[in-house]
Amino acid sequence: MQRLRYWLPLLAALAACKPDPQPDPKLLPYLPQTPAHFPPLPVPADNPMTLARVELGKALFYDPLLSRDRSISCASCHLPELSFSDPNRVSIGVQGRTGTRNAPALINLAYHTSFFWDGSNPALETQALFPIEAHVEMDLPVDSVVARLRAHPSYPERFIYAFSDSALTIKSVTDAIASFERTLLSYGSKYDRFIERGFDSTLFTPAEWRGYKLFFAEKGERHAECFHCHGGYNFDEPEGKFRNNGLYYFYEDPGRYLVTGNQLDVGKFKVPTLRNLSFTAPYMHDGSLSTLEEVVAHYASGGQPHLNRDILMDNILITAQDQADIIAFLMTLNDTAFVQNPAFRP
């Protein structure tokens, strides 16, 4: 008994010194790496990023279970090898239903303040709802999405793990998808190296350098003024404006007008990023231009004289050689590592 009384305090002390269990690394806060010339990655407070949520979101992104007939997934119209774009002119949904717009590339979405060509959705956390429910896309009511996932052999446990509770809701579904999409960051192009090396022009070929100067030229003998609409680190509209680029004299799809009801917004669409253009053909909101040569020639022509055509369309002054040089520069925005990244694949 005396011996036991001796050991009891020692055992208690040893128990008190036992190290705390280490936290699960997949549940710790997680932020993907970004380069110095990118802004800090914005993450909403009500959907903090963890690897568990990212991995769950990736599984959902590639799962055809989210479509009515289980035939397509998000990845069916956003192919990773094509910079998460669609090679079809317009996207094809369940039962071969066709939409009216080309699915845009999913690049650096974390920085966007609106989504879809008409900007009808304001948040990455909610944009997935539209393609899931849209008749011409996945055509599955959100209640059915939740019911299918709750009946799945592994998803309920994965949601509990990622979200620390048993509430598998449509919000946790879209939060998970958004967490994955927030990791789709492209910054490994030749142009990015040019920036990181202090605007080192020796990285460019003569044609690429001429194209660079034309792209950013505003005044002079020849100028393209592309940077006004395709600026900043992501080569899209820096101020989030919607623009009419004179693609048509009459727009069957009125674009931003569908959101605002303002006649001045007819024919205006979100300005897409120019990153990874080699992988994202066809181009424009309706996929009507098949090649970059057609795209640049369109801008060189000034486009159709629609009443809402952007005033900048009148200011372009470039030759055929200039057009080729601009395309050469645009190729420096390609990020092969992005389209080959195994972390983005199922």
Side-chain angles (χ1 to χ4, degrees), residues 190-191 194 200-219 221-227 296 317-332:
K190 180 189 284 192
Y191 176 82
F194 164 76
D200 182 3
S201 62
T202 63
L203 289 172
F204 289 152
T205 67
E208 291 168 352
W209 182 240
R210 291 194 303 268
Y212 167 83
K213 290 187 289 186
L214 284 163
F215 187 96
F216 290 100
E218 186 168 15
K219 296 178 180 178
E221 182 180 349
R222 295 194 307 278
H223 49 274
E225 300 198 54
C226 309
F227 74 99
V296 176
L317 182 63
I318 51 177
T319 67
Q321 181 61 56
D322 294 336
Q323 293 178 47
D325 291 340
I326 289 171
I327 292 173
F329 167 67
L330 292 175
M331 294 301 93
T332 71

Side-chain angles (χ1 to χ4, degrees), residues 94-270:
V94 295
Q95 300 177 346
R97 301 170 190 169
T98 57
T100 58
R101 295 175 179 172
N102 178 258
L106 306 184
I107 304 173
N108 301 332
L109 294 180
Y111 299 101
H112 290 204
T113 56
S114 68
F115 298 87
F116 307 125
W117 282 102
D118 57 14
S120 56
N121 196 286
L124 190 57
E125 267 65 25
T126 55
Q127 63 82 29
L129 291 172
F130 180 84
I132 290 173
E133 290 196 299
H135 176 75
V136 296
E137 296 188 55
M138 301 169 86
D139 193 28
L140 188 64
V142 294
D143 289 347
S144 298
V145 172
V146 172
R148 285 188 184 183
L149 292 172
R150 287 177 177 172
H152 193 273
S154 62
Y155 273 127
E157 184 177 348
R158 294 188 68 175
F159 273 91
I160 292 172
Y161 176 58
F163 289 91
S164 302
D165 58 42
S166 58
L168 197 171
T169 65
I170 194 61
K171 183 180 186 306
S172 58
V173 171
T174 57
D175 279 358
I177 294 173
S179 293
F180 169 62
E181 292 178 332
R182 200 164 268 116
T183 69
L184 303 180
L185 300 169
S186 179
Y187 50 78
S189 68
K190 180 189 284 192
Y191 176 82
D192 291 301
R193 294 193 298 275
F194 164 76
I195 295 295
E196 290 162 359
R197 296 184 189 181
F199 298 86
D200 182 3
S201 62
T202 63
L203 289 172
F204 289 152
T205 67
E208 291 168 352
W209 182 240
R210 291 194 303 268
Y212 167 83
K213 290 187 289 186
L214 284 163
F215 187 96
F216 290 100
E218 186 168 15
K219 296 178 180 178
E221 182 180 349
R222 295 194 307 278
H223 49 274
E225 300 198 54
C226 309
F227 74 99
H228 286 296
C229 301
H230 296 279
Y233 57 92
N234 203 39
F235 286 84
D236 56 12
E237 172 53 65
E239 299 178 5
K241 295 178 180 178
F242 297 83
R243 296 183 184 268
N244 179 323
N245 66 357
L247 187 60
Y248 298 112
Y249 184 76
F250 173 78
Y251 282 84
E252 293 185 8
D253 182 345
R256 183 67 174 166
Y257 170 81
L258 294 173
V259 178
T260 67
N262 187 337
Q263 288 290 337
L264 296 178
D265 286 333
V266 170
K268 291 184 179 180
F269 293 89
K270 186 175 180 180

Side-chain angles (χ1 to χ4, degrees), residues 34 38-43 111:
T34 53
F38 272 49
L41 192 72
V43 179
Y111 299 101

Side-chain angles (χ1 to χ4, degrees), residues 277-294:
L277 287 176
S278 281
F279 311 106
T280 60
Y283 307 101
M284 304 298 173
H285 69 275
D286 57 356
S288 56
L289 300 184
S290 300
T291 67
L292 283 177
E293 286 75 14
E294 290 178 289

Side-chain angles (χ1 to χ4, degrees), residues 6-42:
Y6 172 79
W7 282 104
L8 282 176
L10 180 59
L11 291 173
L14 289 173
C17 295
K18 184 178 179 180
D20 293 331
Q22 293 298 308
D24 188 331
K26 290 191 176 183
L27 299 179
L28 292 175
Y30 166 73
L31 276 181
Q33 183 181 2
T34 53
H37 60 286
F38 272 49
L41 192 72

